[in-house]
Amino acid sequence: MIDPITAPAPEPSVSEGLRGMMRGFPTGVAVVTATDAAGAPWGMTCSSVCSVTLEPPTLLVCLRAASSTLAAVLARGRFAVNLLHDGGRATAELFASGDPARFGKVAWHADRDASGPHLWRDAHAVADCTVRMSQSVGDHVAVFGEVVRVTRQGDCRPLLYGLRTYSPWPGAETVG
């Protein structure tokens, strides 16, 4: 039993408490990409990514409701999840910055089967997805995407983010 005199005090607000708690929960770094109806590329850094189920293969991404990337994802019904490797920090920061010229500053391609731009120099894996459903939650939208293709590059360590710091996966030699 914890001594109530030495127990930590609750955070002043639940939102600030959650923000502090999640800051200490390291996660992988992804850039979610899509193209709009005119074919223009859109993308944003996203650490809210998780696998939902293997059958059907489904990922969940949470995107800001006001983002142009989300608008492109929902309009086209497709998106790509680029999981960044440990050399992708600059790309993670670029896509988090909102720089409107970000696709002119990174190497990317999108073949005819791609669901969104692939950031091939900075990603150790890319999942091409089709939107199955979305749900608004506060100022974000949870998007469920059925994975239709996975492209992987070997010999890369995943990029992690936590405590407001990027770092490679410690002790990992390669992604297998």
Side-chain angles (χ1 to χ4, degrees):
M1 181 173 198
I2 296 177
D3 181 350
I5 295 173
T6 60
E11 294 287 333
S13 80
V14 174
S15 293
E16 284 305 310
L18 180 60
R19 178 177 287 159
M21 181 180 109
M22 295 311 295
R23 195 177 295 133
F25 185 68
T27 185
V29 182
V31 173
V32 174
T33 59
T35 54
D36 64 18
W42 294 93
M44 63 186 287
T45 299
C46 181
S47 59
S48 297
V49 176
C50 73
S51 173
V52 177
T53 180
L54 292 176
E55 292 300 329
T58 304
L59 293 177
L60 167 74
V61 298
C62 295
L63 306 174
R64 281 186 295 83
S67 79
S68 298
T69 300
L70 175 63
V73 166
L74 296 178
R76 294 292 302 266
R78 318 174 343 150
F79 63 97
V81 177
N82 294 266
L83 298 181
L84 301 187
H85 59 64
D86 63 351
R89 177 181 177 165
T91 295
E93 291 172 341
L94 175 65
F95 279 81
S97 75
D99 182 342
R102 57 188 164 256
F103 279 96
K105 298 177 179 180
V106 296
W108 64 278
H109 77 278
D111 63 36
R112 67 181 182 90
D113 294 326
S115 296
H118 289 204
L119 307 177
W120 59 273
R121 283 193 183 155
D122 299 304
H124 66 82
V126 180
D128 289 297
C129 303
T130 56
V131 174
R132 289 295 167 226
M133 66 180 282
S134 62
Q135 175 68 48
S136 293
V137 182
D139 62 355
H140 279 65
V141 174
V143 180
F144 293 83
E146 185 172 335
V147 179
V148 296
R149 179 175 75 165
V150 174
T151 306
R152 296 179 54 189
Q153 295 188 65
D155 298 329
C156 299
R157 295 189 315 169
L159 182 64
L160 297 179
Y161 184 77
L163 299 174
R164 296 184 179 168
T165 303
Y166 292 97
S167 64
W169 187 300
E173 293 303 315
T174 61
V175 175

